[in-house]
Structure formats: structure tokens, C-alpha cells
Amino acid sequence: MVRFSSELLLFTVCAAAYQEAESTNGQQQRIIQSPVEPGSVQRKLQGRFLHITDIHPDPFYKAYSITDGDHPCHGKAGKGDAGYFGAEMTDCDTPFTLVNATFDWIEKNIKDDIDFVVWTGDSARHDNDEDYPRSSKQVADLNRYTVDQFVRIFGKTGKIDPKNPLDSFVVPIVPTYGNNDILPHNIFTKGPNRWTREFEDIWRGFIPQEQKHSFARGGWYFSEVIPNRLAVFSLNSLYFFDSNSAVDGCDAKSEPGYEHMEWLRIQLEFIRERGMKAILTGHVPPARTESKQNWDETCFQKYTLWLRQYRDVIVASIFGHMNVDHFMFQDVAELKYKFKIDGLESEDYEAEEGFDIARDTSPVDTLGAKKAYLSELHDSWAGLPKPPKGASYNPLNSSIEADLVKRRKRKGGKKKKQKEIDKFYKQIGGPWGERFSLTLVSPSVVPNFFPTLRIIEYNITGMEREHPASHIMGTPAEVFYGQLDDVTEIPPEEPLRAERRRRDTEDVDVQKKRRKKKKKKPKRPPKPNFPVPLPPKSSSAPGPAYSPQALSLISWKQLYANLTEINAAHKESANSNGKHKPGNGPSVDYKLEYNTSHDKYYKMNDLTMMSWLHLAERIGREELQHGDVEISERLDESDAVTNIAEEADWTDLGVDDSDFDSDHESESQDVHASKKGGKKKKNKKAKKKKMKNHLWKEFLRRAYVHTMTDDELDEIFGS
Ligand SMILES: *[C@@H]1O[C@H](CO)[C@@H](O)[C@H](O)[C@H]1NC(C)=O
Ligand SMILES: *[C@@H]1O[C@H](CO)[C@@H](O)[C@H](O)[C@H]1NC(C)=O
Ligand SMILES: *[C@@H]1O[C@H](CO)[C@@H](O)[C@H](O)[C@H]1NC(C)=O
Ligand SMILES: *[C@@H]1O[C@H](CO)[C@@H](O)[C@H](O)[C@H]1NC(C)=O
Ligand SMILES: *[C@@H]1O[C@H](CO)[C@@H](O)[C@H](O)[C@H]1NC(C)=O
């Protein structure tokens, strides 16, 4: 094996040197030399990275103002209970005090333990107050302010080097556009535009030189965070976002969404060719349930297909925006293009019904909307194929089982049982669950619940002596956008678009009827009218998202700051003017909420697909008691939060009435009623329906960052 010693080679940005080398799995790969200053001391890989999202700094935040109404935390100080470090569990944005304290905490606690930072957008305040309208300058300034925080903590010298901006940080940082980072929010036109130009400057320390041109086309790029090993892609999800009325999906060649997907396809192909892996990041995740769809369907379709075809390359997909801690699967069965994808007919899978109803694309703001969305996720997990006896989703078992299956086959063992097991694995796309892809969503810094950070541990076996990129770098595949039209295509098939148009105009009843008819006599499904990404080579091993290997995610720590506690301590210790001596007040501490691998609930051995399916299938069960999962005897209870906030009451939490809009589910009306009825009545209400699946309940506690009491969860979800 050829070890490439990048330190020995001098580098010129434009003329990246290529050489052939043998990678560990014997594939030929191209190596692009990374830029390294001779003699520079480099940090070794730590096997961890930080995901931070939705910071939403608000310069107009006033401590002790009123948290609700038309001016969330912008009113007169002294009249309300907006905390010094932010108003947890409200719609208020983040005061600078919390932004400062969060970055201070990062510096003290994790700065030296991470290899790179994934920063998934929304670094300006919301457009939530008529008296404080947003301006382009304000939105840009708040983004500059947030970049300054990164410079303060991760900067090599405390400023962005004007001569060599890409050499300004100790670790690579990969930012993405959020829907509030532009004006008006959600509306991102085809590039180049005002906002690609603005951010070319704001993010000058982050966008690789070689990709400036492509960034100008639409605000997308990737950064090679571990030279020749791992690239982090910054997707501009606003081109996929259904609320962006300036664009129209990903099917028409004239659309930036189409070009974005083409770019992604070509770059992922290039990454594959080089034997590298990729993490995809973006702001708005591809959430798609009956009541909620974030992305235009044409973009969702392509993305799902891309994830499928590049499943040997993609390590993980990481998003923000929704503020709720959760995850979602993309399912080959949801692909409307029915064609053979490397040996498997997508029609082999049983898709879920009911996906063409008009869906809500607004953020899951209200409790009712969140309830509906999370319940639908739960229902979809309930529909996952059930493992028969002798098979399981447990990843520790799946490879052993795969072997057993083969051996039993040879022996010609029990036919019927074997058939069931074979069917199960066929249903989930083989022993690694390759029918599915995964999207991870971290909750936010803005304290809609509690502020949070996520530290993700990944596998660096065999790379212990390597280092994160010391300069921002990332040589893209050579692609000339002017030539996009020349890409060879599968001939377009008209039915595709006709079908869409028909669906858009038909009413629901007609659609239902048609679906019934279709079931009886399946029509020939549409073929894609765009270049379909190539699948992995049939000889290649399952990717890092499926089988544990170098660069696979292993675990994460979800951290939270209990602002209720911290604000109270701050208030108490201040003098009569509410002031502290400089540097004397209590500050913000982020504590462990949970660790995916080390708590009595999730206990995930790693974060590969089968681990997620194992978790989701159990969450989806009607009933699941503690005994149904193996509880670790050595559990360190002090490590993580479990049944906290038991005593809290809505009225104490300052949750706004408007969270319980009357036109939402009856369950939220129940909460409303009981809140109005006062504490006594609520506590007496003895025969509340308790949730019967402790894992589902824990998932929900985490979704809301442990701000909801168990009683509240029972009332909302326990029906
Ligand atoms: C934030 O930190 C900076 C630098 O430490 C300091 O100058 C500034 O006053 C702080 N701002 C707030 C609101 O705490
Ligand atoms: C595999 O699953 C069986 C039950 O299905 C369990 O008893 C066994 O401990 C599992 N093995 C591993 C290595 O997890
Ligand atoms: C990390 O990768 C190595 C090499 O592929 C593998 O042997 C090991 O089991 C992985 N570790 C974890 C915790 O998944
Ligand atoms: C989670 O806990 C396990 C076991 O203690 C530990 O090995 C792992 O590093 C933790 N994860 C993170 C991201 O710190
Ligand atoms: C946060 O702090 C409050 C006040 O001390 C406490 O009642 C609550 O249980 C804490 N919640 C969590 C999740 O730590």
C-alpha cells in the first residue's frame, strides 16, 4: 500500500497533483495532494465532530421583557420573565449573551476534541416582529457576527487572514444556508444573486478556492475535512424547499434545483472514484409524512434516489431547521420511478399508502403540528417489516444471521422458517437494510426548548495518524456548467410530467378512486428523464452508513443547557440592580442529555442503518416495556437525564397559550382545558392514559429536549 505523505509535497491550488495509489480495499483511487505548509504542526484526528444549528442571534432581545405577544422578548425590560440567557420554551430568538456563552463553552470544553464543525444554518433572527423589521444589512450582519464567534473560538489568530482567508481556522468549519439567512426569508433565487455574492464574502474563510465559481451558481460546495478521506457537502436546501416560491423543484433543467442535483451527482461520483466518503449537510431536511412535506416532491424523489445510488459513499445526512430532535428514513419504496436499481426492482418493496395528499410545508411550529408530524413518523415506523424468529434488526446479529442464512440454505434446513427469514431480508434490502437511507436532525441552539449541541463520534480506525485539513480545501470534479445540457440522457418520457400535472389538479376523491383502480391493474411506471447516478460497483462492500467501518458514525452526545436553572441562578446571584460584577455571574453550562450508545433506552452499538431500524421498529410497537429491551446492569444513571422535569407545570414553564391553537388536535385541546382548569384539577385527573411504549416516550422526551413532563406527553400522545 502506498502511503501518501502530503507533508513532503508542495502544493499549488490550481494544479492539484494527481497520482494513482492503492487504497485499503484494493481499489484504484486518485489522490489529490492536500495543501500543507512545510513545518506546520498539525493536530491528529480525534474521531469527533460538532454539529451546531439554528443559532438565531437577536440583537433586540431584552432580558426581563415579555416573552409572548407581538414583540417576543423585544419589549420593555422589567415587565416579563425573559431570562438573562434566553427565554426557554418560547418563540423568542437567542440573546447575544447565550451565543457568547455557548461559544465560550465550546472553547473550554470541546474545541480541542473535534476534527471539524458542521453548521447547518439560520444564523440570523426570525422575521417575527413588525416593529423590528429585518433588513438585508441586518441579516448579513448577524451572519457576520456568528462567523466572528467561530473566528473567536476556532480562529488561528483571532481574525480572518485577509491575504489567505482559507488558512484562518484550526479545524474546517462547514456552514450552510438557512431559510432565515436571506431576505425575504425562504426566497432564494437562481444564482448568482445578491445572497450568493454576500456570502462569498461572509464565508470567505470556508469556501474552497476551487469552488468559488460553483458556489456563485447556487451556494453549494463541499469541503475536504480529512484530506483524501472525507468531504462534507454543504447543500443549498432552499432550492428544494417547498416554501421557496422563486424556484420550482428539481425536474426542469432550467431550475437551480435540477442543477444542484446534477452537481451533487457529479461530485459524489468523483468522491467515489477517489475512494473517499461524504457527509451531506443542509438546513431544511427532507421531512415527508402525510401532514408535512418540506421539500418539493421532485427534489425528494431525486434525493432519495441519489442516497440510494451513492450508499457506498455517503456516511450520513445531517440537517437542522425543525428544532425537534429526531431522525427519518428515506425509503426506496417511495421512489416513483420504478426501474431496476442494481438487481432490485424498486417495485419489490411495499410502499406505504396515502402520500399524495396536499401537505403542510410551514415549520412544525405549534404543538399540534408537532404532534401530528411525530405521530406520523411513529406510524411509519410501526409499518416497518417485522423480523420473524431467527432474524432481527439488531446489527450485532445481522451479519451473523446473514451467515447463518447462507449456511442453512446450503444444508436445506427448515424450509418454511427459512422462507420467512429470506422474505424479511428481501423486504429490508438485504442484511444491511439497504432499502433505507437516513436523515438526522439535531435540535437547535435557539431555545425553543432548551439550547443544544451535538457531538458526534465517528470511526477513525486506520487513520489515527492522519489529521483534519489544515487549510480549507476541496478540489471538485471538473464540470462546466455551460455544458450541463450535453449530459447524455435517458430519453424523456412524457407521462411523468403529465401524471404530475394530473395529480396536482385532481381532487382527493378522484385520486383515491384512481389509486384503488391502479392497485388492481398496475400501469407501467414512469422512467426517469434525467441521468440516473450509477450504483455502487457490484464488488464493493456495504457503505459506512450500513456496515461499521472507518468513518462510520459510532455514537453521539446530545448536550443541553437548562436555561430555567441557569437563568434563575443568574437572577438570584445578581445584586439589587440585576447586575453582576463583570465576569462574576453564573454562566451557561451544557450538560449531557443522552448518549446514543450509553443509556438505558437507545443503547445503540453504533449508528449504522440496522441500529436505526432496530430502534425505530421498537419505537413503533404498540407496547414495549422495559423488560423488552436488554437493560444494562452497569448503567450509570448519573450520566444522563431520564425522568426529569416531573414536577414542572405548564404555567411555571411560561409556555404561551398560542401553542395550543384551538384548531389543532383534540389532544392539545385537552391540555388546553386542563391548563385553564388549573393545577389542582390536572393533578387529580388520575386515569390518564399512559403511553405503553417506554421507548416511544423516551424518543418524545428527547424530541422536546426534556422540556415536557411525562404527564404532558401522556396527555398529548397517550391516546
Ligand atoms: C460577548 O463576548 C465578547 C468577547 O468576549 C464581549 O466583548 C461582549 O461584550 C460579549 N457580549 C455579550 C452580550 O455578552
Ligand atoms: C442475537 O439475537 C438473539 C435473539 O434473537 C440473542 O439471544 C443474542 O444474544 C444476539 N446475539 C448478539 C451477538 O447480539
Ligand atoms: C471501526 O472500524 C473498524 C475497521 O473497519 C472496525 O473493525 C470496528 O469494529 C469499527 N468500530 C466500531 C465501534 O464500529
Ligand atoms: C458515548 O458513551 C460511550 C461509552 O461511554 C463512549 O465511548 C462514547 O465516546 C460516547 N460518545 C461521545 C460522542 O462522546
Ligand atoms: C431544569 O431546571 C429546572 C429548575 O431547576 C428543573 O425543575 C428541571 O427539572 C430541569 N430540567 C432538566 C431537563 O434538567
Side-chain angles (χ1 to χ4, degrees), residues 667-686:
E667 281 84 352
S668 52
Q669 279 171 15
D670 282 354
V671 175
H672 196 188
S674 74
K675 187 192 171 187
K676 283 269 158 75
K679 204 170 180 175
K680 254 188 236 159
K681 191 175 153 199
K682 190 181 157 197
N683 289 348
K684 272 189 188 162
K685 209 165 142 195

Side-chain angles (χ1 to χ4, degrees), residues 84 95-98 100-101 104 145 149 152:
Y84 179 77
F96 282 14
T97 48
L98 177 58
N100 253 19
D104 285 350
Y145 161 79
Q149 301 298 313
R152 183 161 74 85

Side-chain angles (χ1 to χ4, degrees), residues 58 285 469 481 511 525 569 674:
D58 182 359
Y481 286 99
Q511 278 185 22
S674 74

Side-chain angles (χ1 to χ4, degrees), residues 237-359:
S237 59
L238 304 181
Y239 286 146
F240 313 146
F241 192 22
D242 225 11
S243 304
N244 180 2
S245 54
V247 298
D248 183 20
C250 295
D251 265 2
K253 269 189 192 170
S254 54
E255 287 298 322
Y258 182 98
E259 190 172 319
H260 196 355
M261 285 295 176
E262 271 305 284
W263 173 83
L264 184 60
R265 180 180 70 83
I266 291 162
Q267 300 310 328
L268 285 174
E269 194 63 52
F270 182 57
I271 293 289
R272 172 189 278 161
E273 206 181 295
R274 290 176 60 195
M276 291 176 62
K277 306 294 175 193
I279 292 177
L280 307 186
T281 74
H283 181 68
V284 181
R288 183 175 179 272
T289 67
E290 262 178 75
S291 69
K292 171 129 215 86
Q293 176 153 13
N294 281 345
W295 286 16
D296 185 282
E297 178 65 9
T298 58
C299 302
F300 177 86
Q301 287 289 331
K302 277 195 174 178
Y303 189 68
T304 304
L305 181 56
W306 271 219
L307 292 177
R308 163 76 190 175
Q309 299 300 75
Y310 292 113
R311 65 190 183 280
D312 56 330
V313 173
I314 296 166
V315 174
S317 309
I318 296 176
F319 288 80
H321 180 67
M322 293 174 88
N323 300 346
V324 176
D325 182 347
H326 72 295
F327 60 94
M328 61 189 90
F329 297 113
Q330 286 73 49
D331 181 350
V332 170
E334 289 169 356
L335 284 176
K336 86 173 156 207
Y337 309 111
K338 305 298 184 194
F339 60 100
K340 256 198 164 41
I341 14 188
D342 73 298
L344 285 162
E345 288 283 355
S346 49
E347 278 156 293
D348 286 350
Y349 302 116
E350 288 159 16
E352 282 191 53
E353 276 291 315
F355 269 120
D356 351 67
I357 325 161
R359 275 170 270 186

Side-chain angles (χ1 to χ4, degrees), residues 282-463:
H283 181 68
V284 181
R288 183 175 179 272
T289 67
E290 262 178 75
S291 69
K292 171 129 215 86
Q293 176 153 13
N294 281 345
W295 286 16
D296 185 282
E297 178 65 9
T298 58
C299 302
F300 177 86
Q301 287 289 331
K302 277 195 174 178
Y303 189 68
T304 304
L305 181 56
W306 271 219
L307 292 177
R308 163 76 190 175
Q309 299 300 75
Y310 292 113
R311 65 190 183 280
D312 56 330
V313 173
I314 296 166
V315 174
S317 309
I318 296 176
F319 288 80
H321 180 67
M322 293 174 88
N323 300 346
V324 176
D325 182 347
H326 72 295
F327 60 94
M328 61 189 90
F329 297 113
Q330 286 73 49
D331 181 350
V332 170
E334 289 169 356
L335 284 176
K336 86 173 156 207
Y337 309 111
K338 305 298 184 194
F339 60 100
K340 256 198 164 41
I341 14 188
D342 73 298
L344 285 162
E345 288 283 355
S346 49
E347 278 156 293
D348 286 350
Y349 302 116
E350 288 159 16
E352 282 191 53
E353 276 291 315
F355 269 120
D356 351 67
I357 325 161
R359 275 170 270 186
D360 174 21
T361 62
S362 60
V364 277
D365 272 346
T366 60
L367 196 62
K370 285 192 182 88
K371 182 218 145 110
Y373 173 66
L374 292 172
S375 300
E376 285 159 5
L377 269 188
H378 177 263
D379 291 349
S380 72
W381 298 341
L384 285 170
K386 297 268 174 269
K389 264 217 168 88
S392 87
Y393 282 114
N394 191 335
L396 266 189
N397 264 346
S398 58
S399 55
I400 305 169
E401 277 159 5
D403 274 359
L404 282 179
V405 169
K406 267 189 223 146
R407 240 178 290 152
R408 277 199 223 106
K409 241 182 202 160
R410 256 182 265 129
K411 280 193 193 157
K414 286 180 201 158
K415 284 249 170 67
K416 195 174 159 222
K417 197 175 160 195
Q418 193 50 50
K419 251 193 182 160
E420 271 178 25
I421 295 175
D422 287 351
K423 191 180 163 216
F424 170 69
Y425 283 116
K426 194 177 172 197
Q427 267 295 307
I428 63 168
W432 309 103
E434 288 178 294
R435 164 179 162 181
F436 300 95
S437 319
L438 180 73
T439 297
L440 303 171
V441 179
S442 172
S444 53
V445 170
V446 67
N448 286 171
F449 306 119
F450 283 139
T452 65
L453 297 170
R454 178 173 288 183
I455 298 166
I456 302 173
E457 179 191 17
Y458 67 104
N459 193 330
I460 54 167
T461 301
M463 302 189 298

Side-chain angles (χ1 to χ4, degrees), residues 49-56 117-123 143 146 150 173-181 203 221 232-235 237-238 279-285 317-323 440-445 454 456:
F49 66 91
L50 168 67
H51 179 201
I52 184 168
T53 194
D54 294 82
I55 298 171
H56 287 295
V117 180
V118 167
W119 165 25
T120 49
D122 268 8
S123 312
N143 267 281
T146 312
F150 282 100
I173 293 159
V174 189
T176 3
Y177 281 107
N179 59 313
N180 289 294
D181 295 326
W203 291 345
Y221 67 96
V232 174
F233 279 69
S234 173
L235 304 179
S237 59
L238 304 181
I279 292 177
L280 307 186
T281 74
H283 181 68
V284 181
S317 309
I318 296 176
F319 288 80
H321 180 67
M322 293 174 88
N323 300 346
L440 303 171
V441 179
S442 172
S444 53
V445 170
R454 178 173 288 183
I456 302 173

